[in-house]
Amino acid sequence: MKNSDINMRSIKDYTQSNRMAWNQIMPAHQKAARARLDEAFKNSSHSVIKSPEMDEWRKLDFKGKDIAHLCCNNGIELMSLKNMGAGHCVGFDICDLAIEEAQHRAMTSNNECQFVCTDVFDISEEYNSTFDIVYITIGALGWMPDINAFFKKVKDILKPTGAIFIYEIHPVTEMLPTDGDHEAHPLQIMEPYFKNEPYEDTAGLDYVGKTDEETSTRYWFVWKISDIMMAIIDQGFNISRFVEYSHDVSEMHSRNQEASKEAGIEIPMSYILVANGSAT
């Protein structure tokens, strides 16, 4: 898909459709997990960030650093970093119900993270050159209709020497059947890697409660590793770390992970990328 011609539709067309779908499915996610998460974060040292991600965070010396989390969902990753000593933390997400949950959890757990409901492409200029690190987590990039415009926004809100931290689903998994596709054999290539149009779907978004609830039409964009890297490089960042992993982080490819291990042919299913800005 060409960034200059996103299927003849505007970025806003896609993001508002996705916003509606997320607001529709969020009650199912909250029914399955909200009470448990609220209880867990009453512990001021609670964190959902584990290895290998935590190992990479330590290398960034993030304590005291100001962090923006784009597509933060219900805020638990950012709240975890705050619990571990991060500085000023702000999460941004387009889903009204996810931000309401994050704000409530932060308030009731005395966690000082702030959460803002906004399309990430519309983040206010008041946040420009504010953050030391921009954090992008699992499943965020697939909702972005324009990867170049997205990383332009990342650059805008970062300080000149700030860093990008990405922990994401590897696009190789997009070629494989999901756990819900029981008729397909694990590791069978079902879709192209070079995908030029977004997927349109109404089912399968409740990866938390595992229900069959549907949403209105939403759009998922498959960005190749080269798309992501070049969008970052084109904004003047230097990629300092790129590590690929054989474990699934999407909660939709456990069958593929197990099958690959059994066959002794582990494939890339997730990755961490760290990039740094330059003052020049």
Side-chain angles (χ1 to χ4, degrees), residues 149-184:
F150 174 78
F151 281 107
K152 172 63 168 62
K153 176 58 70 174
V154 169
K155 181 178 181 179
D156 287 345
I157 66 175
L158 271 174
K159 297 174 184 178
T161 56
I164 303 170
F165 187 105
I166 303 174
Y167 186 30
E168 258 289 12
I169 303 164
H170 202 293
V172 163
T173 65
E174 303 283 0
M175 298 191 293
L176 305 175
T178 63
D179 290 342
D181 189 354
H182 300 292
E183 296 183 2

Coordinates of all heavy atoms in Angstrom, one line a residue, residues 149-184:
A149 N 3.7 9.0 8.4 CA 3.1 10.0 9.2 C 3.1 9.7 10.6 O 3.3 10.6 11.5 CB 1.6 10.3 8.7
F150 N 3.0 8.4 11.0 CA 3.1 8.0 12.4 C 4.4 8.3 13.0 O 4.5 8.9 14.0 CB 2.8 6.5 12.5 CG 2.9 6.0 13.8 CD1 2.0 6.2 14.8 CD2 4.1 5.2 14.2 CE1 2.1 5.7 16.1 CE2 4.2 4.7 15.5 CZ 3.2 4.9 16.4
F151 N 5.5 8.0 12.3 CA 6.8 8.2 12.8 C 7.2 9.7 12.8 O 8.1 10.1 13.5 CB 7.9 7.3 12.2 CG 7.8 5.9 12.8 CD1 7.3 4.9 12.1 CD2 8.2 5.7 14.1 CE1 7.3 3.6 12.6 CE2 8.2 4.4 14.7 CZ 7.7 3.4 13.9
K152 N 6.6 10.4 11.9 CA 6.7 11.9 11.9 C 6.1 12.4 13.2 O 6.7 13.3 13.9 CB 6.0 12.5 10.7 CG 6.0 14.1 10.8 CD 7.3 14.7 10.7 CE 7.3 16.2 10.5 NZ 6.6 17.0 11.6
K153 N 5.0 11.9 13.7 CA 4.4 12.3 14.9 C 5.3 11.9 16.1 O 5.5 12.7 17.1 CB 3.0 11.8 15.1 CG 2.4 12.0 16.4 CD 2.2 13.5 16.7 CE 1.2 14.2 15.8 NZ 1.0 15.6 16.2
V154 N 5.9 10.7 16.0 CA 6.8 10.3 17.0 C 8.0 11.3 17.2 O 8.4 11.7 18.3 CB 7.4 8.9 16.7 CG1 8.5 8.5 17.6 CG2 6.2 7.8 16.8
K155 N 8.5 11.7 16.0 CA 9.7 12.6 16.0 C 9.2 13.9 16.7 O 10.0 14.6 17.4 CB 10.2 12.9 14.6 CG 11.3 13.8 14.6 CD 11.9 14.0 13.2 CE 13.1 14.9 13.1 NZ 13.6 15.1 11.7
D156 N 8.0 14.4 16.3 CA 7.5 15.7 16.8 C 7.5 15.7 18.4 O 7.9 16.7 19.0 CB 6.1 15.9 16.3 CG 6.1 16.3 14.9 OD1 7.1 16.6 14.3 OD2 5.0 16.3 14.3
I157 N 7.0 14.6 19.0 CA 6.9 14.7 20.5 C 8.1 14.3 21.2 O 8.2 14.5 22.4 CB 5.7 13.8 20.9 CG1 5.9 12.3 20.7 CG2 4.4 14.3 20.2 CD1 4.8 11.4 21.2
L158 N 9.1 13.8 20.5 CA 10.4 13.4 21.2 C 11.3 14.6 21.3 O 11.3 15.5 20.4 CB 11.1 12.3 20.4 CG 10.8 10.9 20.8 CD1 11.5 10.0 19.8 CD2 11.2 10.5 22.2
K159 N 12.1 14.7 22.4 CA 13.2 15.6 22.4 C 14.2 15.2 21.3 O 14.2 14.1 20.9 CB 13.9 15.5 23.8 CG 13.0 15.9 25.0 CD 13.6 15.7 26.3 CE 12.6 16.0 27.4 NZ 13.2 15.8 28.8
P160 N 15.1 16.1 20.9 CA 15.9 15.9 19.7 C 16.8 14.6 19.9 O 17.1 13.9 18.9 CB 16.8 17.1 19.7 CG 15.9 18.2 20.2 CD 15.1 17.5 21.3
T161 N 17.2 14.3 21.1 CA 18.1 13.1 21.3 C 17.3 12.0 21.9 O 17.9 11.0 22.4 CB 19.3 13.4 22.1 OG1 18.8 14.0 23.4 CG2 20.2 14.4 21.4
G162 N 16.0 12.0 21.8 CA 15.1 11.0 22.4 C 15.2 9.7 21.7 O 15.8 9.5 20.6
A163 N 14.6 8.6 22.3 CA 14.6 7.3 21.8 C 13.2 6.7 21.5 O 12.3 7.1 22.1 CB 15.4 6.4 22.8
I164 N 13.2 5.8 20.6 CA 12.0 5.0 20.3 C 12.2 3.6 20.8 O 13.3 3.0 20.5 CB 11.7 5.0 18.8 CG1 11.6 6.4 18.2 CG2 10.4 4.2 18.5 CD1 11.6 6.4 16.6
F165 N 11.2 3.1 21.5 CA 11.3 1.7 22.0 C 10.0 1.0 21.4 O 8.9 1.3 21.8 CB 11.3 1.6 23.5 CG 11.5 0.2 24.1 CD1 12.7 -0.1 24.6 CD2 10.5 -0.7 24.1 CE1 12.9 -1.4 25.1 CE2 10.7 -2.0 24.6 CZ 11.9 -2.3 25.1
I166 N 10.2 -0.1 20.6 CA 9.1 -0.8 20.0 C 9.3 -2.3 20.4 O 10.3 -2.9 20.3 CB 9.2 -0.7 18.5 CG1 9.1 0.7 18.0 CG2 8.0 -1.5 17.9 CD1 9.3 0.9 16.5
Y167 N 8.2 -2.8 20.9 CA 8.0 -4.3 21.2 C 6.8 -4.7 20.4 O 5.7 -4.4 20.8 CB 7.9 -4.6 22.7 CG 8.0 -6.0 23.0 CD1 8.6 -7.0 22.3 CD2 7.3 -6.5 24.2 CE1 8.7 -8.3 22.7 CE2 7.3 -7.8 24.6 CZ 8.0 -8.7 23.8 OH 8.0 -10.1 24.2
E168 N 7.0 -5.4 19.3 CA 5.9 -5.6 18.4 C 5.7 -7.1 17.9 O 6.7 -7.9 18.0 CB 6.0 -4.7 17.2 CG 5.1 -3.5 17.3 CD 3.6 -3.8 17.1 OE1 3.2 -5.0 17.1 OE2 2.8 -2.9 16.9
I169 N 4.6 -7.3 17.3 CA 4.3 -8.5 16.5 C 5.2 -8.5 15.3 O 5.2 -7.5 14.6 CB 2.8 -8.6 16.2 CG1 2.0 -8.5 17.4 CG2 2.6 -9.9 15.4 CD1 0.5 -8.2 17.1
H170 N 5.8 -9.6 15.0 CA 6.6 -9.7 13.8 C 5.7 -9.9 12.6 O 4.8 -10.7 12.6 CB 7.6 -10.9 13.8 CG 8.8 -10.7 12.9 ND1 8.7 -10.8 11.5 CD2 10.1 -10.6 13.2 CE1 9.9 -10.6 11.0 NE2 10.8 -10.5 11.9
P171 N 5.9 -9.1 11.5 CA 5.0 -9.3 10.3 C 5.0 -10.6 9.7 O 4.1 -10.9 8.9 CB 5.5 -8.2 9.4 CG 6.8 -7.8 9.8 CD 6.9 -8.0 11.3
V172 N 6.0 -11.4 9.9 CA 6.0 -12.8 9.4 C 4.8 -13.6 9.9 O 4.2 -14.4 9.1 CB 7.3 -13.6 9.8 CG1 7.2 -15.1 9.6 CG2 8.5 -13.0 8.9
T173 N 4.3 -13.3 11.1 CA 3.1 -14.0 11.6 C 1.9 -13.7 10.8 O 0.9 -14.5 10.8 CB 2.9 -13.7 13.1 OG1 2.6 -12.3 13.2 CG2 4.1 -14.0 13.9
E174 N 1.9 -12.6 10.1 CA 0.7 -12.2 9.4 C 0.4 -13.2 8.2 O -0.7 -13.2 7.7 CB 0.8 -10.8 8.8 CG 1.1 -9.7 9.9 CD -0.2 -9.3 10.6 OE1 -1.3 -9.9 10.3 OE2 -0.1 -8.4 11.5
M175 N 1.4 -13.9 7.8 CA 1.3 -14.9 6.7 C 0.6 -16.2 7.2 O 0.2 -17.0 6.4 CB 2.6 -15.2 6.1 CG 3.3 -14.0 5.5 SD 4.7 -14.5 4.5 CE 5.8 -15.1 5.8
L176 N 0.5 -16.4 8.5 CA 0.2 -17.7 9.1 C -1.3 -17.7 9.6 O -1.8 -16.6 9.9 CB 1.1 -18.0 10.2 CG 2.6 -18.0 9.9 CD1 3.4 -18.3 11.1 CD2 2.9 -19.1 8.8
P177 N -1.9 -18.9 9.8 CA -3.2 -18.9 10.3 C -3.2 -18.6 11.8 O -2.3 -18.8 12.5 CB -3.6 -20.4 10.1 CG -2.3 -21.1 10.1 CD -1.4 -20.2 9.4
T178 N -4.3 -17.9 12.2 CA -4.4 -17.6 13.6 C -4.9 -18.8 14.4 O -5.4 -19.8 13.8 CB -5.4 -16.4 13.8 OG1 -6.7 -16.8 13.4 CG2 -4.9 -15.2 13.1
D179 N -4.9 -18.7 15.7 CA -5.4 -19.8 16.6 C -6.8 -20.2 16.3 O -7.3 -21.3 16.5 CB -5.2 -19.5 18.0 CG -3.8 -19.4 18.5 OD1 -2.9 -20.0 17.7 OD2 -3.5 -18.8 19.5
G180 N -7.6 -19.2 15.9 CA -9.0 -19.5 15.6 C -9.3 -20.2 14.3 O -10.4 -20.7 14.1
D181 N -8.3 -20.3 13.4 CA -8.5 -21.0 12.2 C -8.1 -22.4 12.3 O -6.9 -22.8 12.0 CB -7.6 -20.3 11.1 CG -7.9 -20.8 9.7 OD1 -8.7 -21.8 9.6 OD2 -7.4 -20.3 8.7
H182 N -9.0 -23.2 12.9 CA -8.6 -24.6 13.2 C -8.5 -25.5 12.0 O -7.9 -26.6 12.1 CB -9.7 -25.2 14.1 CG -9.9 -24.4 15.4 ND1 -8.9 -24.4 16.4 CD2 -10.9 -23.6 15.9 CE1 -9.3 -23.7 17.4 NE2 -10.5 -23.1 17.1
E183 N -9.0 -25.1 10.9 CA -8.9 -26.0 9.7 C -7.5 -25.9 9.0 O -7.1 -26.8 8.3 CB -10.0 -25.6 8.7 CG -11.4 -25.9 9.2 CD -12.5 -25.5 8.2 OE1 -12.1 -25.1 7.0 OE2 -13.7 -25.7 8.5
A184 N -6.9 -24.8 9.2 CA -5.5 -24.6 8.6 C -4.5 -25.3 9.5 O -4.5 -25.3 10.7 CB -5.2 -23.1 8.4

